[in-house]
Amino acid sequence: MKTIVICSGGLDSVSLAHKVAAEHELVRLVSFDYGQRHRKELDFAAACARRLGVPHQLIDISEIGRHLTGSALTDDVEVPDGHYAEETMKTTVVPNRNAIMLAIAFGVAAARKAEAVATAVHGGDHFIYPDCRPGFINAFRAMQNHALEGYAEVRLYAPYVNVSKADIVADGAKHDTPFAETWSCYKGGPLHCGRCGTCVERREAFHLAGIADPTEYLDPEFWTKAIGAFAAEEVK
């Protein structure tokens, strides 16, 4: 299956790229610059493409992103610390982000005669991001079948949509993903902060998977406090 992977440079999408390279035919990585403050993640996507020997296509949709206001990822809004599933993490939603990226990626796939577009949305995203949930993925598949009917047949490949981040870490390790060469932190500093929701989720995933985390964090112990605080809140 000739597959294009949407790759942000994060742990999930880089693991997916390595999975596709091992199990299918990886033809290119597509990344999007939507004006994210952690734009350095795109350098990790480019490095992944070089490592796997495929083209890296960076698509600039920053002008679109400029109009998707109110997110801590694109605006002058503080990125919250804490567990990924906390209500405060909704400030990291960029409205319709995945829908926009997928629609563009499917156009690229059809134009380049690829057979599938792969996305790394996963179960841990369901709490916060509407366009990461199984219902959205199924609806998008149906929509794209109509959008390209009679012109091209392109599958939506989302193997992680019903699994946890820890499962992705385990799968990434199986396919020799160099986790140190991935970027998750939403704050985009010189090192992973260790405190934002995606850093906490990353650290927790390695712990649950029983795999050593090679990431260097500014605050490597905060994740335990965040998980404890979230669990206590859940009990209430």
Side-chain angles (χ1 to χ4, degrees), residues 25-186:
E25 183 180 350
L26 178 65
V27 294
R28 75 177 40 227
L29 302 186
V30 173
S31 302
F32 294 91
D33 180 350
Y34 57 92
Q36 61 268 50
R37 69 168 69 193
H38 58 302
R39 191 185 182 282
K40 66 182 294 178
E41 66 177 357
L42 299 174
D43 295 334
F44 290 84
C48 179
R50 289 193 297 271
R51 188 167 58 247
L52 295 175
V54 296
H56 178 231
Q57 185 172 4
L58 177 58
I59 299 176
D60 186 352
I61 57 169
S62 56
E63 182 59 25
I64 295 173
R66 192 169 66 83
H67 296 282
L68 307 179
T69 57
S71 173
L73 302 193
T74 56
D75 281 4
D76 188 19
V77 176
E78 187 176 357
V79 175
D81 293 338
H83 195 282
Y84 202 59
E86 289 183 32
E87 188 73 15
T88 54
M89 296 304 157
K90 287 187 176 179
T91 61
T92 65
V93 171
V94 178
N96 246 32
R97 175 179 57 173
N98 281 345
I100 294 166
M101 293 178 182
L102 279 167
I104 294 171
F106 264 79
V108 172
R112 295 188 172 275
K113 306 296 189 284
E115 297 169 295
V117 170
T119 179
V121 299
H122 65 88
D125 290 332
H126 298 172
F127 296 103
I128 306 300
Y129 304 116
D131 56 0
C132 290
R133 296 169 186 160
F136 166 77
I137 293 296
N138 293 334
F140 194 91
R141 282 192 180 111
M143 182 274 290
Q144 274 301 152
N145 287 340
H146 289 292
L148 294 174
E149 186 176 9
Y151 180 77
E153 291 186 13
V154 182
R155 288 182 54 194
L156 176 53
Y157 181 50
Y160 299 148
V161 69
N162 288 309
V163 306
S164 70
K165 185 98 167 184
D167 293 324
I168 296 176
V169 169
D171 193 60
K174 173 184 170 184
H175 296 106
D176 298 320
T177 302
F179 296 119
E181 299 302 316
T182 65
W183 184 266
S184 297
C185 184
Y186 282 158

Side-chain angles (χ1 to χ4, degrees), residues 3 66 157 195 218 222 236:
T3 305
R66 192 169 66 83
Y157 181 50
R195 299 180 64 92
L218 287 172
F222 176 80
K236 289 181 184 179

Side-chain angles (χ1 to χ4, degrees), residues 164-171 173-174 179 201-214 223:
S164 70
K165 185 98 167 184
D167 293 324
I168 296 176
V169 169
D171 193 60
K174 173 184 170 184
F179 296 119
E201 183 197 38
R202 179 184 176 109
R203 183 68 186 85
E204 182 184 23
F206 278 101
H207 171 74
L208 293 174
I211 293 172
D213 184 356
W223 73 281

